[in-house]
Amino acid sequence: MAGILAENIMYIIMVTLGGMLISWSVHFVPVGGAPAAMAQATGIGTGTVQLAAGAGLTGLVTAGAVMKVSDSFALVIASGAVGAMIMIAVTMIVGTWVYVYGVGVPPASAKVDYDPITKDRQDLYVSQGTEGHGLPTVSYVSGVIGGALGGLGGAIIYYSLMSTSTGLSQSDLVALASIFAVGIFFVNAVIPSYNIGGTIEGFHDPKFKKWPKAVVASFVATLMCAFVGILTIGGL
């Protein structure tokens, strides 16, 4: 056991880092949940767990596809980041179309009077009794950043598990690495959801300042997951 850990210590560190990135990424993604689905809050109309897992899993799938044709670590993790960015960006743009052309509300945030990026005034367009609606520019940009971090974390975890010293065949290794990676994604998706406690608009939201607590908690949780995953794969 000690030999397996010593031989793969770098991959344990990398898996832990990937989990922390996924946890951090959730705070960037505009999560609106059920209120957003009814255009009563900004963000994507689903929860933190689904969005974090989606970004992480997209990073895993993209990284897995690239690992079949390249052994470059930089290329693999970059592909994971780009894949998750595209996933989140498409989700947000389609959501914006629904809000604007389907529901008939303008993207506007109730957290800030002026969009930090475009400097456009927003408080005039927020419907009474709501926390804003749609996906204003600052939330969109924040979401793309979050997607990049989540995909990066997912790609790092998958690459690390796939690179662990083991006697498994390639097909068995892919299956086992994917199972452990998905489990780690969901662990690090739940932790920030408790930290956020509902909805978040992006990096301009006051709740964003709470991210260090979630990242520290994810460090502890992912470190234990990394030990279990590396020991299991390395021991087979």
Side-chain angles (χ1 to χ4, degrees):
M1 182 180 296
I4 295 173
L5 293 177
E7 189 177 354
N8 297 288
I9 187 65
M10 181 57 66
Y11 297 129
I12 292 175
I13 295 173
M14 290 170 62
V15 169
T16 304
L17 174 62
M20 294 167 66
L21 285 172
I22 292 174
S23 181
W24 189 30
S25 73
V26 178
H27 295 76
F28 284 89
V29 179
V31 179
M38 298 182 287
Q40 295 179 343
T42 56
I44 304 170
T46 187
T48 53
V49 176
Q50 292 90 334
L51 291 172
L57 291 172
T58 306
L60 182 154
V61 172
T62 313
V66 173
M67 282 188 71
K68 291 183 177 180
V69 297
S70 174
D71 294 328
S72 171
F73 173 70
L75 185 60
V76 170
I77 64 170
S79 66
V82 172
M85 288 170 68
I86 294 173
M87 185 276 290
I88 289 289
V90 171
T91 301
M92 290 190 295
I93 195 65
V94 172
T96 299
W97 292 341
V98 172
Y99 289 128
V100 174
Y101 300 109
V103 182
V105 294
S109 168
K111 302 291 184 182
V112 288
D113 291 339
Y114 294 88
D115 190 298
I117 295 179
T118 64
K119 307 303 180 183
D120 291 334
R121 189 166 184 178
Q122 299 187 100
D123 59 318
L124 297 177
Y125 304 98
V126 176
S127 301
Q128 187 174 2
T130 72
E131 290 295 321
H133 25 69
L135 286 149
T137 302
V138 63
S139 296
Y140 192 92
V141 172
S142 181
V144 173
I145 296 173
L149 293 172
L152 190 66
I156 290 174
I157 292 172
Y158 184 70
Y159 181 91
S160 301
L161 294 175
M162 286 292 294
S163 302
T164 301
S165 302
T166 181
L168 289 171
S169 65
Q170 185 66 17
S171 59
D172 291 337
L173 177 59
V174 169
L176 197 57
S178 299
I179 290 171
F180 273 106
V182 170
I184 294 172
F185 297 156
F186 279 107
V187 168
N188 288 290
V190 171
I191 290 173
S193 70
Y194 282 104
N195 196 40
I196 292 170
T199 63
I200 188 170
E201 293 190 357
F203 56 66
H204 65 290
D205 194 302
K207 289 184 179 180
F208 180 78
K209 298 177 181 179
K210 299 166 64 178
W211 70 263
K213 296 180 181 178
V215 172
V216 171
S218 288
F219 166 77
V220 177
T222 311
L223 183 61
M224 292 188 290
C225 292
F227 276 120
V228 174
I230 296 298
L231 283 173
T232 302
I233 293 175
L236 295 175

